Amino acid sequence: MSQTKELDFVNVASYLAIDVKAGNVEAFAISAKDGANLSGTVTLSVLDGKVETSAGGKTVTMTAFDGVFDMGRYYVQVLPGAYSEGFTIDVDMAEDKELTFDVASVGEVKVGKTVFAASIVAPVEKPEVTVSEVAFSSAKLSWPADSKADGYN
């Protein structure tokens, strides 16, 4: 038995950085495309520092405290892993709008490290254009033969 009374703490989590660039994001949920656990019960070996997980959660959700997130960078704590297929980010926005972002693999997410994952941006919506009245269906431009129209030859 050791005579020292020191206890070392180690970081066993990893972090995904998410930039929120839309002013109406209420919540977002991240899941690994390969179905891996992003959270759960973690066991750390004191002999070799190996991290093992069990009884995990497949999704990590962040919800804004005051209605919507301020625009900026947010750090989501996840378990370390390869996540070779990437992530899916489901976003709940104000006015009952929902978006889904597919994030390609960001490489291995290592213990104690932060990896940039994605930016959540507001979609550009196409305005719906309808024509209710048509002024004319065809037009012909004409002028006297002895006149010249500037720009038309």
Side-chain angles (χ1 to χ4, degrees):
M1 185 154 111
S2 172
Q3 297 301 316
T4 65
K5 295 183 181 180
E6 294 179 13
L7 180 61
D8 289 333
F9 290 90
V10 294
N11 190 351
V12 295
S14 301
Y15 302 90
L16 296 176
I18 307 290
D19 286 346
V20 174
K21 295 184 176 184
N24 58 347
V25 176
E26 296 176 334
F28 57 91
I30 302 171
S31 57
K33 288 183 187 178
D34 63 2
N37 291 339
L38 294 181
S39 64
T41 303
V42 176
T43 304
L44 175 67
S45 169
V46 294
L47 299 176
D48 61 8
K50 185 177 178 181
V51 177
E52 294 183 17
T53 62
S54 62
K58 306 270 184 222
T59 303
V60 175
T61 302
M62 290 187 66
T63 304
F65 287 115
D66 295 324
V68 297
F69 284 98
D70 291 332
M71 287 190 265
R73 179 163 283 186
Y74 293 86
Y75 298 91
V76 181
Q77 188 175 22
V78 297
L79 294 172
Y83 305 114
S84 60
E85 294 180 29
F87 300 92
T88 299
I89 303 175
D90 293 313
V91 182
D92 292 332
M93 303 180 94
E95 300 175 6
D96 294 324
K97 292 183 182 179
E98 296 177 356
L99 294 174
T100 298
F101 291 92
D102 285 324
V103 180
S105 176
V106 295
E108 184 175 0
V109 183
K110 296 182 179 181
V111 172
K113 301 294 180 187
T114 300
V115 175
F116 176 75
S119 292
I120 298 173
V121 295
V124 177
E125 296 182 14
K126 286 185 186 177
E128 187 174 320
V129 178
T130 57
V131 178
S132 59
E133 293 182 26
V134 177
F136 51 84
S137 59
S138 66
K140 294 181 181 178
L141 296 177
S142 62
W143 49 84
D146 60 343
S147 300
K148 183 176 180 183
D150 291 332
Y152 297 94
N153 293 328

